[in-house]
Each structure stands twice: as C-alpha cells, then as structure tokens.
Amino acid sequence: MSALPGETADTSTLQTPRGPRRRFHPAWIVAAVAFLALVGAAGFRAAPGVLMVPLQQEFGWSTTVLSAAVSINLVLFGLTAPFAAALMERFGIRAVTATALVLIGMGSALTVLVNQSWQILLTWGLLIGLGTGSMALVFAATIANTWFTKSRGLVIGILTAGSAAGQLVFLPFIAMLAQDPGWRQASLLIAAGALAVVPLVLKFLKNSPADVGVLPYGAVPVDGEAQEAAPVQDSGPRTNAAVRALQVLRRASKVRTFWALAAGFAICGATTNGLIGTHFIPSAHDHGMPETTAAGLLAVVGIFDIIGTIASGWLTDRFNPRVLLAVYYQFRGIGLLVLPLLLNAEVQPSMIVFVVIYGLDWVATVPPTAAICRETFGADGSVVFGWVFAAHQLGAAAAAIAAGALRDATGHYTYAWFGAAAMCTIAAVISATIRRHHTAREAGPAAA
C-alpha cells in the first residue's frame, strides 16, 4: 500500500480492523466527519439566490454585477479543485479541509462590512471561492478513493449529498434572516456554520488508513491485493502540488474521455449552480412569488437531491455509469424546457413535480462521473476529477453571468431556461458515447 506523500508506511503493520469481532471500520468515522464538513461548507451555495434581491434593494447594484461576483466564486470554486486534490495528497486531507472552512467563514463574515460592489467581488468571489473550491466535490472523491475500495460509488453519493444537506439546513434560515433582521445576519450564519465544523475536522478527519493502522474499507490483507487497494499514487514527498495537478492535466488531456467528461460536467454546472442555484429565486420573484417561498422550493430540491445522489451512488456500483449520465442529463433538459411554463406567483402542483424531479437529478451526475475518472485514470482519478469539476464550475460561472445579462437585457429568464435545456440534450449524447475502459491499468499508457 502506498503511503501519502511526505509519510512512510510499513505495509506489514497495516491490517484489517483489529480482531475478528470488530465490525466498525474507521473509514466510516472519516466519512461521517467529511459529510459534516461538506454540510458546513455548503451554506454559501444557498446564499446568492436569496441575498441577491436584498443587496440590490440596499445598494442598487445590477443583476449583472452580483452575477459577476457569483461567477468569480464559481470559477475559483472549480479551478481550485484539482490543486486542492493535489494539496490533500501532499499535506493531508485534514489540513486542507480545515483551512478551506476557515476561508469560507472569513469570507462570509467580512461580507457584512461591504458597501461597494468591488468588495462583494472580494468576499463572495475570492475568499469564499477559494474556500469552497478546496471543499469541492473532489473532496468527496478523495475521501472515497483513499478510505474505501468497496462501496466507493455509494460513499461518493452520500458525501455529495452533504452539499445538498447543507443547502437544506441553511437555505430556509438564510431566507428568513434575509427578510428580518437582514442579509448581514444571514451572512454571519453561513460563517458560523463553516467554522463550527473545524474542531471536528482537526480531531477526527484522519489523512489515510495508515494513520490508524488499517487498510481501506473492503481491502483484502494480501500483499498483492493490498497494493491494488492503494488509491493514491505516491508522487514523492517533494512533489509540488501545483506541478502534480498540472502533470495530471497534461496526461489526461490526451485522452478523449477526459474531454467528454469535462464537456458534460460543464453543462451540468451551467444547469445547476449557474442557473437554478443562482437565478431560480430572482426568476420566481419576477413572477410574483415571495422569496421565502422560492427558497423553500430550493430547500425541497435539497431534500430530494440527498435521495437522488445516494441512489445514484448505489446505481453506479451496479450499472454502466455512461448510461446513467445520459439519462440524468436528458431528464434535466426536459425539466428546464417546461420550467418557464411553471413559474407563477403561487406554487402549483406542477411546480412541486418539477422540484422533486430536478432535486433527484441535481448532482446525481457526480458518482458516475467520478467512477469513470477512476476507471479511466486509475491513481490519477481524484485529481482528474478535480479538473473535470473545474469545467463544471466554469460552465456554472458562464451560465450565471450570461443569465444575469439576459435578465437585464430582456426583463426575463426564458431564453436562459430554453438554452440550458438544449445543452442538456448535448450532454446526454456526449455521455452516451464515452468509450469504455475495462481497467484503469489499460488507461495508463493511453493517458501517458
């Protein structure tokens, strides 16, 4: 079994859970703390759509300006991810995660002091973007690949659902606080949520199974098979994290599957974080729906996102992830196509159906995408997924600012919804045609 960079591990000391009667593997404790960390980091993901209207009312800033702040956040959220994956390999999961949560807390707390538009670009954009990027979905893939050889898809699904749980936990409170007493108190709530998890991370989030003298969950303690179980390639204690991330990108960019995944995930980001996550509440407000009601609908999306993502992880362990991606994208496109017809001042039953279906599909794409990265790129899979996730956030950033500009130019979001529906069909076709790699070992020479 490979040690984490900067550490040494004697594989002879590694064992399965001690004693024949021990049933609870420490990997599940790490997964539980990782879930809480993702919940704490997810508060800001719920914030822009809720806080956009109050900020416009207080400062008179345009939708385009606020969308630009969200876009900077989304770009950094994405571009930080592959470097964060490499940093986790270099310095450990615990240190990177704790630092990320502190950045999110600082950015959210400092937001209460803004009074000019460039300051919101600094807090919403730079600080929170760097923090959330280091706690991006690549964090879930890294935990699953490092601590699990069995049930990886399910674990990624559960951890990804942590982001949805964060949205579910924070969104109703953010919406209520934004109304009374005000958006500043809502920002402080986000900061508190991120910082509250830091002590748990420092105490319980171990960097690798070697730290507690076990193999990853599901690994067989035979030398040959234990070596197969090692998920993280030892790139050497002196390897710079940025160099490692760029080297992986260079290798992955020579493989067609990487570009197919990146294109599909860019559309995924555009149609979730970029459009629905940022502009659903302002769009519903345009149709006369109260902001708290629209925020409640997004919270329901969060509930069904948890169900859908965990179910997607379970399905990914059993079915072809390419087929799953194609189905997910096409269903999402159908939902976006009919959304302009469903928006109304009051919540109709058809809107509830949309919210349920869209929630089930929200980030169901993550487990199959991470599985294809692992299958195709082997030990580089977590860092490759970080680059694919960067494409996700670049797509989200482009959609966020484009939809804001369309709203300012036309007075509505209809063209944005229709354009997103068309993109989902493209993503479905791309995903269905991804070539299958039988083993990660076969992909290594191709990637090189």
Side-chain angles (χ1 to χ4, degrees), residues 46 49-51 53 167-168 171-176 179 276-302 339 342-348 351-352 354-355 362 417:
V50 176
L51 301 184
V53 173
Q167 175 178 305
L168 171 64
L171 186 54
F173 295 104
I174 292 172
M176 288 188 292
Q179 293 290 317
I276 296 294
T278 304
H279 293 288
F280 177 80
I281 293 176
S283 180
H285 185 265
D286 287 345
H287 287 78
M289 183 181 293
E291 294 167 46
T292 51
T293 302
L297 290 175
L298 279 186
V300 175
V301 168
L339 178 59
L342 307 180
L343 289 168
N344 200 294
E346 298 180 353
V347 178
Q348 304 295 331
M351 175 59 78
I352 298 297
F354 168 84
V355 165
W362 182 263
W417 305 132

Side-chain angles (χ1 to χ4, degrees), residues 62-154:
S62 68
T63 303
T64 303
V65 167
L66 293 172
S67 297
V70 176
S71 293
I72 293 171
N73 173 278
L74 293 172
V75 167
L76 290 175
F77 187 18
L79 292 180
T80 304
F83 297 99
L87 284 170
M88 287 178 186
E89 293 180 4
R90 175 67 178 84
F91 296 106
I93 297 171
R94 178 170 51 202
V96 175
T97 303
T99 302
L101 289 166
V102 170
L103 281 174
I104 295 168
M106 286 176 55
S108 299
L110 290 174
T111 299
V112 304
L113 304 177
V114 304
N115 53 34
Q116 298 183 39
S117 58
W118 68 266
Q119 294 168 340
I120 202 73
L121 302 180
L122 178 64
T123 56
W124 274 20
L126 181 62
L127 289 176
I128 299 179
L130 290 173
T132 53
S134 299
M135 284 292 298
L137 298 180
V138 69
F139 172 63
T142 301
I143 292 290
N145 290 346
T146 302
W147 280 89
F148 294 84
T149 58
K150 180 182 178 182
S151 303
R152 279 176 175 164
L154 178 61

Side-chain angles (χ1 to χ4, degrees), residues 177-233:
L177 288 175
Q179 293 290 317
D180 184 20
W183 64 267
R184 288 177 176 82
Q185 285 72 18
S187 295
L188 292 175
L189 173 65
I190 298 167
L195 295 175
V197 190
V198 173
L200 292 176
V201 168
L202 293 175
K203 183 170 179 61
F204 295 110
L205 191 64
K206 305 300 182 182
N207 291 323
S208 75
D211 288 353
V212 290
V214 299
L215 288 173
Y217 176 77
V220 180
V222 178
D223 289 345
E225 295 183 19
Q227 189 66 27
E228 287 290 324
V232 180
Q233 185 179 22

Side-chain angles (χ1 to χ4, degrees), residues 117-423:
S117 58
W118 68 266
Q119 294 168 340
I120 202 73
L121 302 180
L122 178 64
T123 56
W124 274 20
L126 181 62
L127 289 176
I128 299 179
L130 290 173
T132 53
S134 299
M135 284 292 298
L137 298 180
V138 69
F139 172 63
T142 301
I143 292 290
N145 290 346
T146 302
W147 280 89
F148 294 84
T149 58
K150 180 182 178 182
S151 303
R152 279 176 175 164
L154 178 61
V155 171
I156 291 175
I158 293 171
L159 294 182
T160 304
S163 294
Q167 175 178 305
L168 171 64
V169 169
F170 286 102
L171 186 54
F173 295 104
I174 292 172
M176 288 188 292
L177 288 175
Q179 293 290 317
D180 184 20
W183 64 267
R184 288 177 176 82
Q185 285 72 18
S187 295
L188 292 175
L189 173 65
I190 298 167
L195 295 175
V197 190
V198 173
L200 292 176
V201 168
L202 293 175
K203 183 170 179 61
F204 295 110
L205 191 64
K206 305 300 182 182
N207 291 323
S208 75
D211 288 353
V212 290
V214 299
L215 288 173
Y217 176 77
V220 180
V222 178
D223 289 345
E225 295 183 19
Q227 189 66 27
E228 287 290 324
V232 180
Q233 185 179 22
D234 188 349
S235 55
R238 299 298 180 185
T239 300
N240 182 278
V243 172
R244 161 101 167 110
L246 293 173
Q247 287 174 341
V248 170
L249 175 62
R250 184 175 66 250
R251 292 194 292 269
S253 65
K254 299 176 182 179
V255 182
R256 183 180 302 174
T257 296
F258 170 77
W259 294 107
L261 291 172
F265 230 38
I267 293 171
C268 178
T271 52
T272 52
N273 300 99
L275 284 176
I276 296 294
T278 304
H279 293 288
F280 177 80
I281 293 176
S283 180
H285 185 265
D286 287 345
H287 287 78
M289 183 181 293
E291 294 167 46
T292 51
T293 302
L297 290 175
L298 279 186
V300 175
V301 168
I303 295 173
F304 285 93
D305 183 14
I306 296 171
I307 299 170
T309 307
I310 294 175
S312 178
W314 184 86
L315 291 170
T316 299
D317 287 331
R318 291 160 176 80
F319 298 101
N320 186 345
R322 295 150 189 81
V323 175
L324 295 177
L325 284 176
V327 172
Y328 296 158
Y329 284 129
Q330 193 55 66
F331 268 99
R332 186 180 300 177
I334 294 171
L336 287 166
L337 188 65
V338 301
L339 178 59
L341 305 177
L342 307 180
L343 289 168
N344 200 294
E346 298 180 353
V347 178
Q348 304 295 331
S350 55
M351 175 59 78
I352 298 297
V353 173
F354 168 84
V355 165
V356 170
I357 294 176
Y358 214 85
L360 291 172
D361 192 72
W362 182 263
V363 286
T365 54
V366 171
T369 300
I372 296 173
C373 287
R374 183 175 63 249
E375 170 194 306
T376 306
F377 300 99
D380 287 340
S382 292
V383 180
V384 171
F385 181 70
W387 284 112
V388 171
F389 182 75
H392 181 282
Q393 296 307 107
L394 290 174
I401 196 165
L406 278 172
R407 167 64 179 80
D408 286 339
T410 65
H412 56 76
Y413 286 97
T414 302
Y415 296 135
W417 305 132
F418 287 161
M423 289 192 297

